[in-house]
Every structure is written in structure tokens, then in C-alpha cells.
């Protein structure tokens, strides 16, 4: 190769190198961002309770205890509840019924038989008031000496429903906890 060609190729090569550097640099510093926005489902519930104890605990007295559960999350959910007496003797002299919207699971838990949408509240757990019995199982009368102070402790659990539209089978509340 002669000297003239080499002298012409060197500036052409340098020009090509400078142009490719500029293109590569522009490619590497260009930036485009996209934000993937998503929200996380929240499965939370709140116990709403109205409790009015009698002035004196005696046979025939009534206790108003209204327990309801509100879905404070953003997903439909199923709820279950367990109510335990702080003293087993107290459970013997109390009489109460459970609302028909709550199914006895035979495992210590009662299951609300409907899906609870966000912001909605269940039917009350107790159907009416809790009444102190006047007679023991053997027919004898309870007296003041039989009365003991007690608490009814309420435990609640919730389970998010997998279909966020809220469509579910009528008996799904029984199987969701398995």
C-alpha cells in the first residue's frame, strides 16, 4: 500500500471510530423508565362488640353481648369465631343461642356462612342475649353462691377469598380453612 492511501485511510478510520463512539455513548446513556404499579391485597378484620353486663350477676339476669366482624381489608374474606368462657363453671349456668348465619364446625369454631365483602359486617354471633339460668340440670335452683364472675373471650380469624370478584360456592366457607 502506498503512503497516500494510508494517509487517507487513517482520517477515515478515525472519523468512523468517532461516529461509532458517539452512537454507542448515546445508546448507553439513553434511559426510559416504566413504573409497574400494583397494590397488595389486605386481609384484615375488626371485631365490633356491644357489651352490657347486668348490674348484679344473679339467676335470671340477661347479658347483652353483640359481636360482629367487619372486613376492613380490600379483599372479600371468610371469617370464623370462637367464644370461650374464662371459667367452665360459668358456661354451665349461661344459656345462649348462636345466630343461624354462623355454622358450628364441630371443631370449636363457628364459621360465617357467607363471604364478607370489603367494608361489610357480619350478622351478630349471639342470637339475642345471654341469660343466667335459674335452674341447674338436676332441677335445683341456682342461688347467688353459685354465681362467679367470668369473661367471654372472642377469637376471630379471617381467610382471604381467592376470587377477588367474590364469586364462590355456597359451601366454600366450610372448605377454605383446610
Amino acid at each position: 500500500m502506498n503512503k497516500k492511501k494510508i494517509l487517507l485511510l487513517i482520517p477515515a478510520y478515525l472519523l468512523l471510530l468517532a461516529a461509532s463512539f458517539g452512537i454507542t455513548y448515546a445508546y448507553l446513556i439513553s434511559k426510559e423508565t416504566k413504573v409497574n404499579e400494583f397494590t397488595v391485597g389486605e386481609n384484615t378484620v375488626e371485631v365490633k362488640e356491644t357489651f352490657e353486663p347486668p348490674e348484679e350477676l344473679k339467676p335470671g339476669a340477661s347479658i347483652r353481648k353483640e359481636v360482629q366482624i367487619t372486613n376492613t381489608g380490600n379483599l372479600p374474606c371468610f371469617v370464623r369465631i370462637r367464644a370461650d368462657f374464662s371459667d367452665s363453671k360459668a358456661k354451665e349456668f349461661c344459656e345462649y343461642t348462636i345466630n343461624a348465619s354462623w355454622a358450628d364446625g364441630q371443631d370449636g369454631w363457628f364459621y360465617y356462612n357467607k363471604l364478607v365483602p370489603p367494608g361489610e359486617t357480619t350478622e351478630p354471633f349471639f342470637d339475642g342475649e345471654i341469660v343466667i339460668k335459674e335452674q341447674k340440670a338436676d332441677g335445683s335452683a341456682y342461688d347467688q353462691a353459685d354465681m362467679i364472675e367470668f369473661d367471654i373471650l372472642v377469637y376471630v380469624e379471617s381467610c382471604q377469598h381467592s376470587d377477588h370478584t367474590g364469586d364462590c360456592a355456597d359451601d366454600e366457607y366450610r372448605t377454605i380453612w383446610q
Side-chain angles (χ1 to χ4, degrees):
M1 240 190 206
N2 64 22
K3 265 187 172 182
K4 252 185 174 184
K5 281 185 179 179
I6 292 176
L7 287 176
L8 286 174
L9 284 176
I10 289 176
Y13 177 73
L14 290 175
L15 186 61
L16 182 65
L17 186 63
S20 64
F21 174 76
I23 292 169
T24 304
Y25 182 71
Y27 175 76
L28 292 175
I29 66 166
S30 71
K31 187 176 182 182
E32 182 178 330
T33 59
K34 291 189 178 192
V35 177
N36 288 331
E37 292 185 24
F38 63 93
T39 59
V40 177
E42 185 178 31
N43 176 27
T44 55
V45 293
E46 178 182 304
V47 177
K48 292 188 175 188
E49 181 178 36
T50 303
F51 176 63
E52 296 173 6
E55 289 184 24
E56 181 182 0
L57 193 61
K58 61 183 180 180
S62 293
I63 303 167
R64 181 172 180 237
K65 185 168 180 85
E66 188 174 289
V67 180
Q68 294 178 288
I69 291 74
T70 300
N71 180 355
T72 57
N74 58 7
L75 298 169
C77 67
F78 290 103
V79 293
R80 68 181 183 174
I81 191 170
R82 189 176 81 218
D84 294 332
F85 282 77
S86 60
D87 190 304
S88 60
K89 185 177 178 186
K91 188 173 184 175
E92 292 174 15
F93 63 74
C94 287
E95 189 170 65
Y96 57 91
T97 56
I98 305 299
N99 188 307
S101 295
W102 293 89
D104 188 352
Q106 303 299 317
D107 57 357
W109 292 93
F110 288 85
Y111 298 83
Y112 193 64
N113 60 19
K114 298 174 193 144
L115 191 62
V116 184
E120 297 292 317
T121 302
T122 65
E123 296 290 321
F125 177 65
F126 293 107
D127 194 18
E129 296 182 334
I130 299 168
V131 178
I132 306 299
K133 296 179 191 175
E134 294 189 20
Q135 290 187 339
K136 298 179 184 178
D138 64 7
S140 62
Y142 278 110
D143 59 24
Q144 197 60 38
D146 294 319
M147 301 292 110
I148 56 169
E149 288 189 22
F150 64 92
D151 293 316
I152 301 175
L153 309 171
V154 176
Y155 301 94
V156 175
E157 290 183 355
S158 66
C159 183
Q160 121 183 8
H161 186 259
S162 59
D163 183 351
H164 297 209
T165 63
D167 294 332
C168 66
D170 289 342
D171 64 343
E172 189 172 350
Y173 71 91
R174 293 180 186 274
T175 59
I176 197 79
W177 300 97
Q178 296 174 352

